[in-house]
Amino acid sequence: MSKPTMVFIPGAWHTPEPFKVIIAKLSILGYKCIPLSLLAAGHEPAVLDLQPDIDIVHRTVQDEVDQGHLVVVVAHSWGGIVAGGALDGLSKTEREKSGRKGGVVKLAYMCAFIPPEGVSLAKALGGEDPEWDVQEPWVNWKNPIDGFYHDLPAEEGKYWKSKLARHSYATFHAAAPSAAWRIIPSRYLICEDDRAIKPEIQEIMVQNCRGLGAEMETERVFCSHSPFLAKPDETVGFLRRATGEEA
Protein backbone atom coordinates (compact mmCIF):
# COMPACT_ATOMS: atom_id res chain seq x y z
CA MET A 1 0.00 0.00 0.00
CA SER A 2 1.38 3.43 -0.93
CA LYS A 3 2.25 5.89 1.79
CA PRO A 4 0.08 8.95 2.42
CA THR A 5 0.92 12.25 0.80
CA MET A 6 2.06 14.92 3.26
CA VAL A 7 0.87 18.50 2.67
CA PHE A 8 2.88 21.08 4.63
CA ILE A 9 1.40 24.38 5.86
CA PRO A 10 3.92 26.92 7.21
CA GLY A 11 3.38 29.23 10.13
CA ALA A 12 3.13 33.01 10.08
CA TRP A 13 6.02 34.87 8.43
CA HIS A 14 7.41 31.63 7.06
CA THR A 15 7.81 30.31 3.55
CA PRO A 16 7.88 26.51 3.13
CA GLU A 17 11.68 26.59 2.77
CA PRO A 18 12.43 25.61 6.42
CA PHE A 19 10.66 22.30 5.78
CA LYS A 20 13.23 21.27 3.15
CA VAL A 21 15.44 19.22 5.50
CA ILE A 22 12.63 17.02 6.79
CA ILE A 23 11.04 16.81 3.34
CA ALA A 24 14.31 15.47 1.93
CA LYS A 25 14.40 12.81 4.63
CA LEU A 26 10.74 11.89 4.12
CA SER A 27 11.13 11.74 0.35
CA ILE A 28 13.93 9.19 0.69
CA LEU A 29 11.53 7.11 2.78
CA GLY A 30 8.95 7.12 -0.01
CA TYR A 31 6.63 9.93 1.04
CA LYS A 32 5.27 12.41 -1.46
CA CYS A 33 5.54 15.84 0.14
CA ILE A 34 3.81 19.03 -0.99
CA PRO A 35 5.02 22.21 0.74
CA LEU A 36 2.67 25.18 0.32
CA SER A 37 3.39 28.89 0.07
CA LEU A 38 0.62 30.92 1.66
CA LEU A 39 -0.45 34.38 0.57
CA ALA A 40 -0.60 35.85 4.06
CA ALA A 41 3.20 35.86 4.18
CA GLY A 42 4.59 38.59 1.98
CA HIS A 43 1.98 38.72 -0.78
CA GLU A 44 1.35 42.18 -2.25
CA PRO A 45 -1.16 43.61 -1.55
CA ALA A 46 -1.70 42.17 1.90
CA VAL A 47 -4.57 39.69 2.01
CA LEU A 48 -7.40 40.72 4.31
CA ASP A 49 -8.55 37.39 5.73
CA LEU A 50 -7.81 33.67 5.83
CA GLN A 51 -9.92 32.65 2.85
CA PRO A 52 -7.25 32.93 0.12
CA ASP A 53 -4.98 30.56 2.03
CA ILE A 54 -7.83 28.29 3.05
CA ASP A 55 -8.62 28.00 -0.66
CA ILE A 56 -5.00 27.13 -1.52
CA VAL A 57 -4.91 24.34 1.03
CA HIS A 58 -8.35 23.02 0.10
CA ARG A 59 -7.55 22.88 -3.64
CA THR A 60 -4.22 21.18 -3.07
CA VAL A 61 -5.64 18.52 -0.78
CA GLN A 62 -8.69 17.99 -2.98
CA ASP A 63 -6.45 17.35 -6.00
CA GLU A 64 -4.70 14.60 -4.03
CA VAL A 65 -7.75 12.92 -2.56
CA ASP A 66 -9.61 13.02 -5.88
CA GLN A 67 -6.81 10.84 -7.22
CA GLY A 68 -7.66 8.37 -4.48
CA HIS A 69 -4.68 9.28 -2.31
CA LEU A 70 -4.60 9.35 1.45
CA VAL A 71 -3.26 12.61 2.92
CA VAL A 72 -1.68 13.77 6.16
CA VAL A 73 -1.88 17.54 6.61
CA VAL A 74 1.10 18.94 8.52
CA ALA A 75 0.63 22.38 10.07
CA HIS A 76 3.08 24.58 11.95
CA SER A 77 2.13 27.40 14.34
CA TRP A 78 -0.40 29.85 12.81
CA GLY A 79 -0.82 27.37 9.93
CA GLY A 80 -2.91 25.23 12.25
CA ILE A 81 -5.73 27.76 12.01
CA VAL A 82 -5.64 27.68 8.21
CA ALA A 83 -5.61 23.87 8.23
CA GLY A 84 -8.64 23.83 10.50
CA GLY A 85 -10.75 25.75 8.01
CA ALA A 86 -9.48 24.17 4.80
CA LEU A 87 -10.51 20.53 4.94
CA ASP A 88 -14.30 20.51 4.91
CA GLY A 89 -15.56 17.38 3.18
CA LEU A 90 -12.05 16.02 2.58
CA SER A 91 -11.64 13.59 5.46
CA LYS A 92 -11.41 9.89 4.62
CA THR A 93 -14.45 9.27 6.82
CA GLU A 94 -16.61 11.81 4.99
CA ARG A 95 -15.53 10.61 1.55
CA GLU A 96 -16.17 6.96 2.38
CA LYS A 97 -19.78 7.79 3.22
CA SER A 98 -20.33 8.86 -0.37
CA GLY A 99 -18.38 5.95 -1.85
CA ARG A 100 -15.26 7.93 -2.76
CA LYS A 101 -11.69 6.84 -2.25
CA GLY A 102 -8.93 8.88 -0.71
CA GLY A 103 -9.13 11.49 1.99
CA VAL A 104 -7.31 13.14 4.86
CA VAL A 105 -6.46 10.52 7.47
CA LYS A 106 -4.53 12.61 9.99
CA LEU A 107 -3.67 16.14 11.05
CA ALA A 108 -0.09 16.51 12.31
CA TYR A 109 0.37 19.70 14.29
CA MET A 110 3.79 21.05 15.21
CA CYS A 111 3.48 23.59 18.08
CA ALA A 112 0.43 24.89 16.24
CA PHE A 113 -2.60 26.97 17.10
CA ILE A 114 -5.75 24.82 17.16
CA PRO A 115 -8.63 27.08 18.20
CA PRO A 116 -12.30 26.23 17.64
CA GLU A 117 -14.03 27.64 14.59
CA GLY A 118 -14.77 31.34 14.85
CA VAL A 119 -11.74 32.07 17.06
CA SER A 120 -8.92 34.14 15.55
CA LEU A 121 -5.29 34.04 16.59
CA ALA A 122 -5.66 37.41 18.31
CA LYS A 123 -8.72 36.20 20.23
CA ALA A 124 -6.98 32.98 21.19
CA LEU A 125 -4.19 35.10 22.71
CA GLY A 126 -6.65 37.21 24.69
CA GLY A 127 -6.77 40.09 22.24
CA GLU A 128 -3.21 41.22 22.89
CA ASP A 129 -0.32 41.59 20.44
CA PRO A 130 2.58 39.76 22.14
CA GLU A 131 6.00 40.20 20.55
CA TRP A 132 4.42 41.70 17.43
CA ASP A 133 5.69 44.76 15.61
CA VAL A 134 2.53 46.03 13.91
CA GLN A 135 2.96 48.28 10.87
CA GLU A 136 -0.38 47.90 9.17
CA PRO A 137 -1.22 46.19 6.93
CA TRP A 138 1.78 44.15 8.05
CA VAL A 139 3.03 42.61 11.26
CA ASN A 140 6.48 41.29 12.14
CA TRP A 141 7.86 39.36 15.11
CA LYS A 142 10.05 41.65 17.21
CA ASN A 143 12.85 39.17 17.91
CA PRO A 144 12.53 36.15 15.63
CA ILE A 145 15.87 34.57 16.49
CA ASP A 146 14.93 34.37 20.15
CA GLY A 147 11.32 33.47 19.35
CA PHE A 148 11.84 30.86 16.65
CA TYR A 149 15.48 29.76 16.40
CA HIS A 150 17.21 30.22 19.76
CA ASP A 151 18.54 26.65 19.84
CA LEU A 152 20.11 26.78 16.38
CA PRO A 153 23.73 27.79 15.75
CA ALA A 154 23.97 31.59 15.54
CA GLU A 155 24.65 31.77 11.81
CA GLU A 156 21.79 29.39 11.09
CA GLY A 157 19.42 31.51 13.13
CA LYS A 158 20.49 34.63 11.22
CA TYR A 159 19.99 32.83 7.93
CA TRP A 160 16.45 31.76 8.73
CA LYS A 161 15.62 35.19 10.06
CA SER A 162 16.63 36.58 6.66
CA LYS A 163 14.11 34.27 5.00
CA LEU A 164 11.09 35.51 6.96
CA ALA A 165 8.44 37.56 5.16
CA ARG A 166 6.26 40.25 6.64
CA HIS A 167 2.80 38.92 7.43
CA SER A 168 -0.72 40.24 6.90
CA TYR A 169 -1.91 41.67 10.23
CA ALA A 170 -5.57 41.22 9.24
CA THR A 171 -5.15 37.44 9.16
CA PHE A 172 -4.33 37.47 12.88
CA HIS A 173 -7.79 38.89 13.52
CA ALA A 174 -9.60 36.55 11.12
CA ALA A 175 -11.12 33.24 12.16
CA ALA A 176 -11.52 30.00 10.26
CA PRO A 177 -15.14 28.89 9.68
CA SER A 178 -14.46 25.31 10.76
CA ALA A 179 -12.14 23.17 12.84
CA ALA A 180 -10.99 20.03 11.04
CA TRP A 181 -9.68 18.46 14.25
CA ARG A 182 -13.29 17.87 15.27
CA ILE A 183 -13.55 15.24 12.53
CA ILE A 184 -10.02 14.17 11.57
CA PRO A 185 -7.80 12.30 14.08
CA SER A 186 -4.82 14.44 15.08
CA ARG A 187 -1.33 14.14 16.46
CA TYR A 188 0.31 17.11 18.17
CA LEU A 189 4.03 17.72 18.73
CA ILE A 190 4.51 19.75 21.91
CA CYS A 191 7.79 21.67 21.77
CA GLU A 192 9.00 21.97 25.34
CA ASP A 193 11.51 24.81 24.81
CA ASP A 194 9.21 26.92 22.63
CA ARG A 195 9.42 30.66 23.33
CA ALA A 196 6.83 31.69 20.74
CA ILE A 197 3.99 29.46 21.96
CA LYS A 198 4.77 28.34 25.49
CA PRO A 199 4.47 24.56 26.00
CA GLU A 200 1.83 25.06 28.68
CA ILE A 201 -0.28 26.94 26.12
CA GLN A 202 0.17 24.08 23.66
CA GLU A 203 -0.99 21.65 26.33
CA ILE A 204 -4.04 23.76 27.16
CA MET A 205 -5.04 23.89 23.49
CA VAL A 206 -4.75 20.12 23.20
CA GLN A 207 -6.84 19.58 26.33
CA ASN A 208 -9.46 22.05 25.10
CA CYS A 209 -9.78 20.14 21.83
CA ARG A 210 -10.04 16.84 23.64
CA GLY A 211 -12.72 18.34 25.85
CA LEU A 212 -14.68 19.13 22.69
CA GLY A 213 -14.44 15.52 21.54
CA ALA A 214 -11.29 15.61 19.41
CA GLU A 215 -9.12 12.53 18.96
CA MET A 216 -5.69 14.04 19.58
CA GLU A 217 -2.51 12.15 20.46
CA THR A 218 0.57 14.01 21.67
CA GLU A 219 4.31 13.66 21.53
CA ARG A 220 6.93 15.87 23.13
CA VAL A 221 10.34 17.11 22.04
CA PHE A 222 12.67 19.52 23.83
CA CYS A 223 13.30 22.19 21.24
CA SER A 224 12.34 25.64 20.02
CA HIS A 225 9.41 26.73 17.88
CA SER A 226 11.16 25.20 14.84
CA PRO A 227 11.36 21.43 15.42
CA PHE A 228 11.91 20.79 11.70
CA LEU A 229 15.20 22.74 11.98
CA ALA A 230 16.29 22.07 15.57
CA LYS A 231 15.30 18.39 15.78
CA PRO A 232 14.74 17.16 12.20
CA ASP A 233 15.16 13.43 12.89
CA GLU A 234 12.76 13.54 15.82
CA THR A 235 10.29 15.52 13.72
CA VAL A 236 10.50 13.01 10.88
CA GLY A 237 9.79 10.23 13.40
CA PHE A 238 6.76 12.14 14.67
CA LEU A 239 5.41 12.54 11.14
CA ARG A 240 6.00 8.91 10.26
CA ARG A 241 4.08 7.87 13.37
CA ALA A 242 1.30 10.25 12.36
CA THR A 243 0.86 8.18 9.20
CA GLY A 244 0.64 4.99 11.27
CA GLU A 245 4.16 3.86 10.47
CA GLU A 246 6.29 2.51 13.30
CA ALA A 247 9.33 4.77 13.60
Side-chain angles (χ1 to χ4, degrees), residues 11-27:
W13 301 288
H14 285 74
T15 72
E17 186 177 352
F19 294 138
K20 65 182 182 181
V21 172
I22 62 171
I23 285 176
K25 293 175 180 290
L26 289 163
S27 298

Side-chain angles (χ1 to χ4, degrees), residues 17-80:
E17 186 177 352
F19 294 138
K20 65 182 182 181
V21 172
I22 62 171
I23 285 176
K25 293 175 180 290
L26 289 163
S27 298
I28 290 171
L29 294 169
Y31 288 97
K32 178 181 178 180
C33 297
I34 304 176
L36 298 181
S37 294
L38 299 187
L39 296 177
H43 182 266
E44 297 275 2
V47 295
L48 300 179
D49 58 39
L50 299 177
Q51 197 60 49
D53 287 328
I54 285 174
D55 291 343
I56 287 172
V57 175
H58 189 91
R59 286 195 303 268
T60 301
V61 175
Q62 179 141 36
D63 286 346
E64 285 296 302
V65 302
D66 282 348
Q67 296 175 61
H69 299 162
L70 302 179
V71 173
V72 172
V73 174
V74 183
H76 174 235
S77 194
W78 168 85

Side-chain angles (χ1 to χ4, degrees), residues 4-11 19 22 26 31 71-84 87 104-114 180-181 184-191 202 206 215-219 227-228 234-244:
T5 299
M6 293 191 189
V7 175
F8 288 81
I9 305 174
F19 294 138
I22 62 171
L26 289 163
Y31 288 97
V71 173
V72 172
V73 174
V74 183
H76 174 235
S77 194
W78 168 85
I81 301 176
V82 177
L87 304 176
V104 181
V105 291
K106 187 79 77 170
L107 296 170
Y109 293 112
M110 300 182 293
C111 50
F113 285 103
I114 46 174
W181 48 258
I184 302 170
S186 303
R187 198 173 191 96
Y188 193 106
L189 184 63
I190 295 172
C191 295
Q202 298 175 47
V206 168
E215 180 184 335
M216 191 166 295
E217 302 169 302
T218 58
E219 293 189 25
F228 35 83
E234 292 86 341
T235 303
V236 167
F238 162 76
L239 294 174
R240 292 173 67 188
R241 288 186 289 275
T243 72

Side-chain angles (χ1 to χ4, degrees), residues 81-98:
I81 301 176
V82 177
L87 304 176
D88 293 355
L90 298 180
S91 72
K92 183 174 183 287
T93 301
E94 291 170 292
R95 290 176 62 85
E96 281 178 341
K97 290 177 180 178
S98 56

